[in-house]
């Protein structure tokens, strides 16, 4: 029986000088159909130097009733245990969550070579909005980064080619 899929995405705020160090601000998990499993704002663990409002749309008011970092971290670990995690640039999400996950159970749509080759950028990791537009003709992030929307987008991208990905048949994707 195939493992269950979980889409994961995080939104970060900035800490450190100039707010350049990523800190978890929101984490979202969805099932294979895009239904929300877990979606929460996370209390900053350090002083927030930048809410990155221009891209996140967040300010301090979003974190007044946020859950503690360790609560969110444990919840995510519980949800993803023994499941395939789908996302975009997952290494960054795992880093801000302070967790790891078996590589064999991760599906990073940003690293999937047939997607990168279809965009004629095999040596680059394209942004999720670029992948969604060119491969699915769907616009995302029209206003702000939304981890729930991103998690759903990665699941949709993965499901569009999951048999090829898992079967390893190497079919090239075409944008025609």
């Amino acid at each position: 029986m195939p493992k269950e899929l979980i889409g994961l995405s995080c939104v970060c705020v900035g800490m450190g000088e100039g707010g350049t160090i990523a800190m978890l601000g929101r984490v979202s998990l969805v099932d294979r159909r895009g239904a929300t499993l877990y979606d929460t704002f996370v209390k900053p663990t350090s002083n927030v130097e930048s809410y990155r409002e221009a891209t996140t749309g967040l300010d301090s008011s979003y974190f007044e009733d946020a859950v503690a970092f360790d609560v969110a971290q444990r919840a995510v670990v519980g949800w993803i245990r023994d499941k395939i995690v789908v996302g975009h640039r997952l290494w960054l999400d795992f880093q801000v969550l302070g967790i790891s996950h078996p590589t064999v159970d991760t599906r990073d749509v940003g690293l999937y070579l047939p997607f990168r080759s279809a965009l004629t950028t095999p040596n680059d990791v394209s942004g999720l909005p670029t992948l969604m537009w060119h491969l699915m003709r769907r616009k995302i992030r029209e206003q702000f980064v939304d981890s729930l929307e991103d998690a759903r987008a990665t699941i949709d991208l993965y499901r569009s080619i999951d048999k090829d990905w898992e079967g390893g048949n190497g079919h090239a994707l075409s944008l025609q």
Side-chain angles (χ1 to χ4, degrees):
M1 182 155 101
K3 288 187 177 183
E4 189 178 336
L5 295 178
I6 298 270
L8 166 67
S9 184
C10 297
V11 173
C12 295
V13 295
M15 65 179 187
E17 190 171 330
T20 59
I21 301 170
M23 178 172 48
L24 184 62
R26 180 181 178 192
V27 59
S28 303
L29 299 169
V30 299
D31 68 12
R32 73 175 293 108
R33 289 192 164 51
T36 304
L37 298 173
Y38 186 72
D39 182 36
T40 190
F41 290 96
V42 180
K43 280 191 188 300
T45 56
S46 188
N47 289 333
V48 176
E49 295 298 324
S50 171
Y51 287 97
R52 303 174 177 176
E53 291 181 50
T55 56
T56 67
L58 302 177
D59 60 37
S60 61
S61 68
Y62 284 84
F63 301 95
E64 291 171 2
D65 296 319
V67 303
F69 175 83
D70 62 320
V71 171
Q73 184 186 51
R74 280 195 307 272
V76 170
V77 167
W79 276 106
I80 69 173
R81 182 176 292 116
D82 299 322
K83 295 179 180 74
I84 293 175
V85 177
V86 180
H88 181 264
R89 298 182 185 207
L90 278 170
W91 69 90
L92 297 173
D93 292 339
F94 291 146
Q95 181 181 7
V96 297
L97 283 161
I99 63 175
S100 61
H101 194 67
T103 303
V104 69
D105 288 337
T106 62
R107 305 295 184 270
D108 195 315
V109 298
L111 297 178
Y112 187 55
L113 189 56
F115 285 166
R116 293 169 26 196
S117 295
L119 297 178
T120 64
T121 58
N123 297 320
D124 296 324
V125 178
S126 295
L128 185 56
T130 301
L131 288 171
M132 287 303 293
W133 177 248
H134 287 285
L135 300 174
M136 299 195 86
R137 291 294 185 238
R138 185 166 108 203
K139 290 183 180 182
I140 63 168
R141 298 187 188 170
E142 291 195 273
Q143 291 183 335
F144 300 112
V145 174
D146 179 333
S147 54
L148 200 51
E149 178 183 43
D150 285 3
R152 289 177 176 136
T154 62
I155 283 286
D156 290 346
L157 274 171
Y158 173 78
R159 288 185 62 209
S160 74
I161 50 76
D162 61 349
K163 288 176 183 48
D164 290 338
W165 192 320
E166 300 306 328
N169 64 18
H171 289 147
L173 296 176
S174 172
L175 294 179
Q176 272 82 14

